[in-house]
Structure formats: structure tokens, C-alpha cells
């Protein structure tokens, strides 16, 4: 069957899951993923526990792929730039040929790797080996370039090594542990080479090596922090993505369950309209679940009417003759099982014969053929259906020896079909033709199909018939002058289909308890579906899930006789497979979404959300890691200061700048950590106000940006400001003083003194401090990337200006002093190499920051969508609750939704004492006419809908909370009080119903139980009587507004009943028993405008203070003469004092 709502369809080969299991899984996972703060180890443990590590690796593949491509592209660009610098500034091409070839080969390798990374197989299986190759190419290139140098300095290619450490943590797809190992291996050879080959005095080398180590440690810490925090962010985002997927699955489950539930009660053409109305109502008024039918868009006060007219259909009524006596011998489980098996078989027959079951009334079953789709064979369908029902009952009679039979009546005409009222929706049909079909059954013959002339005309001579003489058995048929006929079953003589003498003789045989059980066991062999069995399953067909050996095993499992827990465990595995499959599909979908391309949600330039409201919500997010950003930035600052103190002269300017910047930095940290530092002041008003104010301000994005700006600008300034104190001068006479730079040739250990004198001994370390200063930007992970890019851009412009303009001579003089003194006139200037390092680092950091913000915003987007999904799930849950409670009483609905309920269970409950009411409007039949003026009866039904809806609204009053509407039968309203009580009949389930009735009549019960039952009888009977009187008042009010004169006739009785749910395709809650039958007779034999009760019920009402007037003895079908009473209406409530 295709989905009528446009989502999810169930196929025969679908794998299914218990809805209870889905709910339990989601509850467990919500508990697992709800915390907002995790350590990386906790997250890893959680992933292993939830078996998500493999999926997470697949999730990270595409992100790491893009980062690796970024690194290769940066490597290619840096290599080409380096070649250009070498060619422009070097005089001898052949002397630099090894270096040029090294860069060219490494660049070519990068190009080849870039091509390989566009193949899916390489991406999925060889990402880590390629990342190791990329690292090896970078390391090999830098150390070959160092090896080809004729003069070795401690600072040579130091910027390149720092960059490699940084990209090892940020761009290479390695774990945190592997990144630490690889980064250490990257820098260790440089330290060794510097110690062995670098020129200069031991003191100078020691200072520079110490500075190098501090710089390495600084970049290590910054890279480790970035790797650690981004890993946490990605894992949290993965959990959020999984939560969103789970929510989507749950929403799909709710939608499928809702569809099946609605379609189990209503036909598709009515269900679509009602569902849309209900969803809108629940969203508008989430706390008013039952006021769903009033037309809010209309200026009138009428409720929505879901009724359609269908012409030329055939109506079949069927009644099981002899079932009432059999039912009295059944225990509660036997009765419900028997009814479910019988009507389950009839439902299958209806489906086979293209008939739609309308309703079950006790042991009466009626259906229609020809709606909602008109069928030319509707009459034939009903005849075949009737004959099949008679055959089914005959097999029961022959197999069990129990005298039961089927009486069937069929008529062809027009009907109005739909749903009336606000509660306990049941699809029904109305028209004069429906009434006639009902009387055709009542005037029929057991074991035969009784039809009218209208139906006979539609058969086209397909069946042999004989006169039915229905007017002799039913007065209505005689008054209407209807000619009736009995269908002669094929291959049978007219006399052979009548009940046999043996069967008639059986009717005198006394039925025993074993007879009922024999019937129940025989009917159980038919294997009818259980009510709501389809609602406990969700179709899980899908690619890779719904086929193969696994499906065969699951389907075989359903056919085997294993315990419920085994089935639950097996289906639990399927749920995990389904979630993993959907998550994998989401990962593939996210992989296809590139952050540089156009998006429906995010502006690709600034990464702001296109939805302004969402952008405002994102800006209001609290950054819980901002304190750690400042802490890590402070560590980078300390490392930078350490490098300055190690490599620069200890001047006043250096000391003052360090003290002032450190004071400012500590002040910022104190502000951020105020709530921790001043926690002892929380009890004092002033201290509490201070900490609360600071915390409130920290939540503001502008304030975080302000602190970030101050911090970064201060670090940027510290990286370059002390160069203002550096200068050089030409020394005409060489003096071997400590203030000169002594250089040792790489090949000659003789002393040589430079002609330049420098106030700062190691100018290249200004480039290193600038690199460290820019590196501090990356630790502020959740600050807008464009904001950081602007700050870095300003710093980069200042650095390039200083190195290439204001202090270019100073740095060039250092190069000349170093390389000329070593006899090497062909070298790359330090400021050009430094500019290349700074520019490359700037580009890398901008890309990294952009990627981090994109991940953060995507995380927020998923969380936002998850919130929407969650709201939709809650709406669907509310709708399902409304649907289920409009099919079943609340306590019965909870039974079907409760955890651990087996899908093959039948619901049944036996009650010792229930009050039952039938309320009809006899003169509605006179009001109902089918003319063009009232749209062939449609407007008459509109008024009946208003009446029933008003009655339903009474049930929402707290005083009537124990009253439950059972159903409506035409213009008759059936309700009962006391069904919500818990198992007050425990231990009596196996007793036949007539035994409980005898106990009730004879009073064979202990004193405590008798007192308890007496109080309940007072309460339930009193409340139901008051409800009946309130219905009369409601009808009188409606009469005033509609200018009608409807009158009610009511009957109330109390006693034991059996309740249960029967029918798999259209589950229906009902109650059975002698109490129900007598209550119905109290209505049908009652007096218009009055409430008629039995003598036992009148005694209860008299104790409550009601006035009951004896009517005398009334003939009741099946009971003979019963003394009845009429209840006088009251103006005040008396039932509420019954239990006090």
C-alpha cells in the first residue's frame, strides 16, 4: 500500500522494528549525548561505547581530505614562490641548481599527490599514507635545502620548521598522539644540525638554540591546543549530527505510525483531511488536544464535518445468531479472542471481496462495497461476502458442535459516510438505505443472504434466488413494502442451506464452559491478526538493510516460537543498523557540501547565516571555552617574551614592554576569571553583583571581541616593537670586542670580525617572534574568522612594512655581515624569506580559522534543525496520542504504548461493576430527510454532528473524568463509567461472565468487597446519571438555537462487563455482557424525555438522593418482564458525595 500522506510506505519484504524499542533506544541515546561539556578522552570512550568510532572516521575523511588538499596547495604555492625568490635574488643559477631541483621535484610530487586525492578509493583507504608522504616530502625538502647551504646558522629555515610543526597539528589528518610524535620528529633534526654545523661562538649558539627550542615548544603547545579543541568540536558536532538523524528516524517512525493508526480507523480519503486539521490544531493549541474539529477559519460556530455522499453502493449487515448465549459462557480472554478471530476472518473476507468494514456493533458486523471508489460489481461483492461469512460460521458449527449461525442482509442504494463528533472516531454510514439494510438483516434467515429487489437488479442474474418474505419477520419491511429475496448458495438446493435438524436439536443442549473454550481454540487456528500489531512495527526497508540473509533471518524469526526478549534483542540490532545507515547517508551528503560553494543557509564570504534571526541566535551563544583561549594565548605570549629575552639585549624598552604587556594580560585574565577568583565573595551583595555583571558582559560577543582584539594586538606589538631599539653602524677599524659579531667560516675556524656593529645580535629572531605572534591568533577558535583575518592582516602589513622598508637596511646589513664574511655573495635575503614565511602563515591561519568557524556554524545549524525536528517529533507524539486516545480510552492506549508490550497480545479486561448508558434521539429519524434542500441529508447530519460534538465536549469536564464514550450508533450515544479503574477484577479473568453476574445478583462476596463495590456503584452510577442529565440540558440549549424540538430517551444499567480491543485492520474498543444488553433495552423500551433504569440501579440512585419513579413491568427482549424506574432530573450534583 502506498503512503497516502506522501511519506514512507511499507513493503512486504520490509524489515520491522518494535516501536517500543525505538523509543527506548532514543531515550538511552539522549542520555548519552545530552552533556554539553566533554573531555576528549570521555568523548572517545563514549564513541567506543556507542560503536561510532568507525563512522566518525568516515565522517572526518572528507574534512581531512580538504585540509590535506589545502596543505598541498600551500606547499605548491610556497614552492613556486621560493623558486621565484631564488631566481630573482641569486646571481649564480648553477650554484643553486640543487636547491632549485629540490623545490621543483617536491612541487611535482605535490602535484601528483593532488591528482591522486581526487580518486574516491585513495580518499577512503590511503589518506593516512598520503599524509605521511606529504610530511616526508616537506621534511626532506627543508633539510636538503639546509644541507645545500654553505653557511649554517641556528635560525636558518627556522620559520619553515615552525610552519611544518603547525601544519602537522592542523592540516595533516593525524590523531593527536601521532601529530605530537611527527611534530617532534620534524624539529629534532634541526636542533641536532644547529648544534653540530652552525657557525658562531658557543655562547651565541647556545642562546639561539635555546630560543629555537622555546619557539618549537610554543608552536607545539599552540598546535596541540588547536588539535585537541578541534577534535572535541568535531566529535561533538558528530554527536549532534547523529542526534539529528535519530530525531529524523523518530519523526519518520511517528509519521508512519500516525498514518497506520489513522488508516486503521478511517479510510484514506477522510484521514488526509482530518490529519491536516489536527496537526494545525495541535501546533496552535498544544495543550488542547481534543478541540480539533471546530472550524477556526469560519465565521460560524459549526464544527468541521467530515462526511461525503456516495451513490450506488451496496450495504451488508450480518449478525451472529446464538452468539449472546455463547458469550455468557466465555471468560474475558476467551470472549475477546473469539470476537477478534471471528471479525478478523470477516475483515480478510471483506478485503478479498472489495468491501470496506464500517463498524462492529456487539456481534453485528456491517460493511459497504462501492466506496470510496465506485465499483460496478458492488452488489456481487456483498453477496460473495455474505456467502463466505455463512460458510465461515458453518465450519465453526461443524467443527465445534456449537449452534451458531450467520444472518445476512444486503441492500443497494446511496449513503452518507464519514465521522461525527470529537471523540472516539468511528467511520460510519447513514441514510434510509442503511436503515433498510439493517432491517434486512433483522428480518433475514439464519444461514442465508437476504437481499432487496434493488440489490437483485444489480446482480444481472448471476445468482439464483427465492422469495424471502422478509415482511413477515420484520414490521419495518412490511410498512415499506419491500420485496425481499434469499440467495440460493451455489451448488446447493434451496432446502439444503437451511439449518439441519441436528443443528436445531443442538440448540437445546446445555452449553458448558468447555464449549466456549473449544470454540476459542478452534478460532485461534484461523490466525487472525492482533489489533495494532501493525503499529508496533515500522518499515525499515532500505539500501543494504532490506535484503539478503539478514532479512531472511528476521522474517524466519517472526515465524519461530521464540520468547519476546529474543525478538527484542534481534530487532535492536536492526535499529542500530538503520541508524548507522542513515548516518552514513548523512555523512556522504555532508561530504558533498563544500564550504567554498553556494549554500542555502550560509553566506560563503563572511560565513554569516542568511537567516537574520538565526544569525542573532548564533551571536548570542555563550563561548564556554573563551577562558581557555586566553590561557593558551598567555602561554604563547610567555614563550614569545622568553624568545625576546634570550635573543635580544636586556634593554629598558624590552623590560618595560614586557612588564606593561604582562600587566595588561593578567588584568584581562582576572576579568575573565572573576567568578572563580571572587567566589568567596558570592555571599556578599557587592561581590555577587560584580561577578554576575562580569559574567553577563562576557556573554556579549562584542565584549569577547574587544578582549580578543586587545590581547592579539598586544601580542602582535610585542613581536615587533623591540626592533625599534635595534640599529647598526659601520666600524672603520675592526676591534675584537664583545659588541661585534664574530663569525666562524664553515670551512675555516680562523677568526674574522664583521665591519658592522649591531645593537641587536640576532635580527632573524624578530621574524620568529612575529611568526609566534601570528600563531597566537589560532587559539581563539570561536571568534569570527574575518575579524581575526582583519587583525592578522593589519599585523602582517606592519611586519612587512618594518622588514622591507623601515628596517630593511638593518636586516640587509646583517645578511652581508654573515654571508660576505663567509665568502658567499649569492644568498637569499632574510627579509624576503621572512616575508614569504609570514605570508604563508597568514594564508594558512585564515583558511584554518575559516574552516573552524564553518564547522562551528554548521554545528549550530544542525542543532537548530535538530530543535525543529524535535518540535515536529513532539507534535507527532501529541497527534499520535490524540489519535490513539480517540480510538481507545486513555488507560487502554497506555497499555498499547507501554514498554515491553508484546505485539501479539490481545487486550481484554473484566470489570465487576461498570455503569453503562445508551442515549438516543428517537425523533431525529423524523427530522432526517433526503431532499435537494438539505443536500440529500448532509445538512441533517451536520446538525447531528453538532449534537454529538456538544456531548463530547461535556466529557472534558473534570466531574465526568470517569465517563468514557464508547461509540455512536446513528443518533444513539453510548457511554460507560468506571472503565478507567485498575485491575479491580484480578483473579476473575478466567471466570465466565454469567458467574460474575450471579455473584452480583446473589451477593456472594465478602463484606469489605461489598462495601467497596457499593461505594463505586454509587459513584459511577451517580456520575453517569448526571452526565445523562447534562446531555439533556445541552440538547435543550441546542434546540433553542436551531429551532428544533429534539428529545432524548435514555437507559442506564450497572454490573459486570468485559472490555477489549478487536479487529486488526480497524481496531475497535468495545464492551460486552448482559449489563450492556440490558442498558440498551432500557433505552429502546424507555420513555422519551426520561432516563429508564433497572430496579437494582434505581436502588443505587435512591441512596444518592435521586428520585426514581416506578414505571412497572416492561417486556425486555431476552429477559422477559423487568421492573423499571424513571429517574427525575435534578438541579444539583449528588454523586460527588457518594464516596465520602
Amino acid at each position: 500500500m502506498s503512503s497516502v500522506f506522501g511519506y514512507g510506505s511499507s513493503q512486504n519484504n520490509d524489515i520491522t522494528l518494535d516501536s517500543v524499542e525505538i523509543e527506548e533506544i532514543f531515550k538511552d541515546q539522549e542520555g548519552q549525548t545530552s552533556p554539553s561539556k566533554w573531555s576528549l578522552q570521555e568523548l572517545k570512550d563514549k564513541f567506543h561505547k556507542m560503536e561510532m568510532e568507525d563512522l566518525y572516521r568516515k565522517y572526518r575523511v572528507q574534512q581531512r581530505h580538504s585540509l590535506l588538499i589545502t596543505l598541498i596547495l600551500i606547499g605548491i604555492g610556497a614552492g613556486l614562490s621560493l623558486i621565484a625568490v631564488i631566481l630573482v635574488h641569486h646571481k649564480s643559477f648553477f650554484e643553486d641548481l640543487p636547491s632549485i631541483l629540490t623545490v621543483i621535484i617536491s612541487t611535482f610530487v605535490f602535484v601528483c599527490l593532488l591528482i591522486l586525492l581526487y580518486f574516491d578509493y585513495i580518499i577512503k583507504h590511503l589518506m593516512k599514507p598520503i599524509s605521511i608522504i606529504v610530511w616526508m616530502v616537506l621534511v626532506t625538502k627543508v633539510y636538503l635545502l639546509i644541507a645545500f647551504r654553505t653557511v649554517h646558522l641556528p635560525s636558518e629555515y627556522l620559520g619553515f620548521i615552525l610552519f611544518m610543526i603547525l601544519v602537522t597539528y592542523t592540516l595533516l589528518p593525524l590523531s593527536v598522539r601521532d601529530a605530537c610524535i611527527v611534530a617532534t620528529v620534524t624539529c629534532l633534526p634541526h636542533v641536532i644540525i644547529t648544534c653540530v654545523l652552525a657557525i658562531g661562538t658557543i655562547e651565541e649558539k647556545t642562546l639561539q638554540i635555546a630560543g629555537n627550542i622555546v619557539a618549537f615548544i610554543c608552536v607545539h603547545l599552540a598546535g596541540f591546543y588547536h588539535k585537541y579543541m578541534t577534535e572535541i568540536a568535531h566529535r561533538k558536532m558528530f554527536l549532534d549530527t547523529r542526534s539529528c538523524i535519530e530525531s529524523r528516524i523518530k519523526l519518520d517512525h511517528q509519521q508512519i505510525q500516525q498514518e497506520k493508526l489513522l488508516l486503521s480507523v478511517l479510510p484514506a480519503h477522510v484521514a488526509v483531511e482530518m490529519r491536516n486539521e489536527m496537526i494545525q490544531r495541535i501546533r496552535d493549541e498544544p495543550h488542547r488536544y481534543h478541540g480539533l474539529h471546530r472550524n477556526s477559519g469560519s465565521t460560524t460556530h459549526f464544527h468541521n464535518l467530515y462526511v461525503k455522499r456516495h451513490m450506488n453502493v451496496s450495504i451488508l449487515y450480518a449478525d451472529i445468531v446464538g452468539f449472546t448465549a455463547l458469550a455468557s459462557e466465555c471468560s474475558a480472554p476467551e470472549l475477546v479472542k473469539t470476537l477478534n478471530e471471528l471479525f478478523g476472518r470477516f475483515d480478510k473476507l471483506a478485503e478479498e471481496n472489495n468491501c470496506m468494514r464500517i463498524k462492529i456493533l456487539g456481534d453485528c458486523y456491517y460493511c459497504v462495497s462501492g466506496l470510496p471508489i465506485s465499483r460496478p460489481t458492488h452488489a456481487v461483492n456483498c453477496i460473495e461476502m455474505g456467502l463466505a461469512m455463512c460458510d465461515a460460521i458453518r465450519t465453526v458449527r461443524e467443527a465445534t458442535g456449537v449452534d451458531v449461525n450467520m444472518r445476512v442482509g444486503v441492500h443497494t442504494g446511496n449513503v452518507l459516510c464519514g465521522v461525527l463528533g470529537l471523540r472516539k472516531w468511528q467511520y460510519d454510514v447513514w441514510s434510509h438505505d442503511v436503515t433498510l439494510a439493517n432491517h434486512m438483516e433483522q428480518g433475514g434467515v439464519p444461514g442465508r443472504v437476504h437481499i432487496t429487489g434493488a440489490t437483485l437488479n444489480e446482480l444481472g442474474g448471476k445468482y439464483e434466488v427465492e422469495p424471502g418474505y422478509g415482511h413477515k419477520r420484520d414490521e419495518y419491511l412490511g410498512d415499506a413494502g419491500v420485496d425481499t429475496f434469499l440467495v440460493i448458495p451455489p451448488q446447493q438446493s434451496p432446502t439444503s442451506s437451511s439449518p439441519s435438524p441436528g443443528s436445531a436439536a443442538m440448540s437445546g443442549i446445555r452449553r458448558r464452559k468447555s464449549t466456549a473454550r473449544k470454540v476459542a481454540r478452534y478460532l485461534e487456528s484461523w490466525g487472525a491478526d492482533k489489533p495494532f500489531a501493525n503499529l508496533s512495527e515500522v518499515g525499515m526497508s532500505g539500501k543494504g538493510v532490506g535484503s539478503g540473509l539478514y532479512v531472511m533471518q528476521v522474517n524466519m524469526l517472526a515465524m519461530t516460537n521464540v520468547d519476546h526478549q529474543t525478538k527484542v534483542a534481534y530487532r535492536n540490532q536492526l535499529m542500530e543498523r538503520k541508524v548507522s545507515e542513515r548516518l552514513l547517508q548523512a555523512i556522504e551528503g555532508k561530504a558533498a557540501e563544500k564550504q567554498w560553494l553556494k549554500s542555502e543557509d550560509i553566506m560563503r564570504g563572511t560565513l554569516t547565516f542568511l537567516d537574520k534571526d538565526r544569525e542573532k541566535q548564533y551571536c548570542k551563544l555563550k563561548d564556554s571555552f573563551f577562558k581557555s583561549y586566553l590561557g593558551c594565548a598567555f602561554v604563547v605570549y610567555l614563550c614569545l617574551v622568553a624568545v625576546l629575552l634570550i635573543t635580544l639585549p636586556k634593554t629598558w624598552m624590552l623590560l618595560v614592554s614586557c612588564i606593561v604587556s604582562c600587566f595588561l594580560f593578567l588584568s584581562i585574565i582576572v576579568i575573565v576569571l572573576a567568578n572563580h577568583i571572587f567566589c568567596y565573595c558570592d555571599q556578599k551583595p557587592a561581590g555577587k553583583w560584580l561577578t554576575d555583571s562580569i559574567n553577563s558582559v562576557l556573554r556579549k560577543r562584542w565584549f569577547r571581541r574587544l578582549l580578543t582584539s586587545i590581547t592579539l594586538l598586544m601580542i602582535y606589538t610585542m613581536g615587533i616593537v623591540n626592533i625599534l631599539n635595534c640599529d647598526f653602524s659601520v666600524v672603520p677599524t675592526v676591534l675584537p670586542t664583545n659588541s661585534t659579531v664574530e663569525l666562524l667560516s664553515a670551512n675555516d675556524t680562523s677568526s674574522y670580525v664583521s665591519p658592522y656593529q649591531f645593537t641587536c645580535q640576532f635580527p632573524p629572531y624578530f621574524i620568529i617572534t612575529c611568526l609566534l605572534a601570528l600563531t597566537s591568533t589560532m587559539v581563539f577558535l570561536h571568534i569570527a574568522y574575518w575579524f581575526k583575518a582583519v587583525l592578522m592582516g593589519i599585523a602582517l602589513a606592519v611586519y612587512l612594512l618594518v622588514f622591507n622598508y623601515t628596517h630593511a637596511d638593518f636586516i640587509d646589513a646583517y645578511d652581508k655581515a654573515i654571508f660576505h664574511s663567509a665568502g658567499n655573495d649569492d644568498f637569499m635575503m632574510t627579509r624576503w624569506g621572512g616575508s614569504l614565511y609570514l605570508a604563508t602563515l597568514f594564508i594558512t591561519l585564515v583558511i584554518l580559522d575559516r574552516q573552524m568557524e564553518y564547522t562551528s556554524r554548521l554545528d549550530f545549524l544542525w542543532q537548530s534543525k535538530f530543535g525543529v525536528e524535535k518540535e515536529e517529533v513532539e507534535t507527532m507524539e501529541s497527534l499520535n496520542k490524540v489519535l490513539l486516545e480517540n480510538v481507545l480510552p486513555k488507560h487502554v492506549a497506555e497499555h498499547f504504548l507501554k514498554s515491553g508490550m508484546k505485539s501479539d497480545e490481545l487486550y481484554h479486561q473484566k470489570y465487576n461493576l461498570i455503569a453503562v448508558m445508551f442515549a438516543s434521539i428517537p425523533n431525529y429519524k423524523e427530522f432526517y430527510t433526503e431532499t435537494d434542500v438539505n443536500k440529500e441529508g448532509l445538512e441533517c447530519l451536520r446538525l447531528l454532528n453538532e449534537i454529538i460534538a456538544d456531548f463530547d465536549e461535556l466529557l472534558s469536564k473534570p466531574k465526568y473524568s470517569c465517563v468514557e464514550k464508547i461509540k455512536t450508533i446513528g443518533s444513539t450515544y453510548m457511554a460507560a463509567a468506571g472503565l478507567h479503574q485498575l485491575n479491580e477484577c484480578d483473579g476473575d479473568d478466567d471466570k465466565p461472565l454469567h458467574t460474575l453476574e450471579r455473584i452480583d445478583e446473589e451477593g456472594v462476596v465478602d463484606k469489605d468487597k461489598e462495601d467497596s463495590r457499593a461505594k463505586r456503584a454509587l459513584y459511577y452510577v451517580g456520575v453517569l446519571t448526571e452526565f445523562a442529565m447534562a446531555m439533556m440540558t445541552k440538547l435543550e440549549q441546542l434546540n433553542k438555537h436551531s429551532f428544533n424540538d429534539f428529545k432524548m430517551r435514555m437507559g442506564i444499567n450497572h454490573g459486570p462487563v468485559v472490555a477489549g480491543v478487536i479487529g486488526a485492520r480497524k481496531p475497535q474498543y468495545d464492551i460486552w455482557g448482559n449489563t450492556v444488553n440490558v442498558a440498551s433495552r432500557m433505552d429502546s423500551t424507555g420513555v422519551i424525555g426520561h432516563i429508564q433504569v433497572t430496579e437494582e440501579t434505581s436502588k443505587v440512585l435512591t441512596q444518592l438522593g435521586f428520585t426514581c419513579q416506578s414505571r412497572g413491568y416492561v417486556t425486555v427482549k431476552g429477559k422477559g418482564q423487568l421492573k423499571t424506574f424513571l429517574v427525575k432530573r435534578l438541579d444539583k450534583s449528588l454523586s460527588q458525595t457518594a464516596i465520602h
Side-chain angles (χ1 to χ4, degrees), residues 61-132:
V61 160
Q62 290 297 331
Q63 295 175 338
R64 290 171 172 172
H65 172 251
S66 63
L67 290 175
L68 187 57
I69 287 180
T70 301
L71 174 58
I72 292 175
L73 290 175
I74 291 174
I76 294 173
L80 295 176
S81 301
L82 188 59
I83 292 173
V85 170
I86 292 174
L87 293 176
V88 170
H89 293 279
H90 284 215
K91 299 176 181 178
S92 175
F93 175 80
F94 293 101
E95 290 183 5
D96 293 316
L97 185 59
S99 298
I100 295 174
L101 288 176
T102 299
V103 177
I104 291 175
I105 292 173
S106 64
T107 303
F108 175 76
V109 173
F110 281 153
V111 171
C112 294
L113 293 176
L114 185 65
I115 295 172
L116 289 176
L117 284 175
Y118 278 93
F119 293 97
D120 290 337
Y121 181 84
I122 302 294
I123 295 173
K124 293 178 180 179
H125 301 93
L126 299 177
M127 181 77 74
K128 192 169 183 178
I130 288 183
S131 64
I132 297 298

Side-chain angles (χ1 to χ4, degrees), residues 407-409 438-446 448-451 466-479 482-487 1117:
R407 189 171 58 220
V408 180
N438 187 11
H439 284 278
M440 287 296 294
E441 176 270 311
Q442 296 175 13
V445 176
R448 303 293 299 275
V449 178
H450 192 206
I451 66 173
E466 61 183 356
Y469 306 109
H471 62 281
K472 296 181 179 180
R473 295 179 296 272
D474 187 270
E475 184 180 354
Y476 181 89
L477 297 178
D479 294 341
V482 178
D483 294 329
T484 67
F485 305 88
L486 294 174
V487 176
K1117 182 180 178 181

Side-chain angles (χ1 to χ4, degrees), residues 303 420-422 944-954:
H303 294 83
L420 297 183
L422 304 180
L944 180 60
N945 183 54
E946 293 300 312
I947 295 172
I948 295 175
D950 286 347
F951 293 164
D952 289 344
E953 287 176 344
L954 287 174

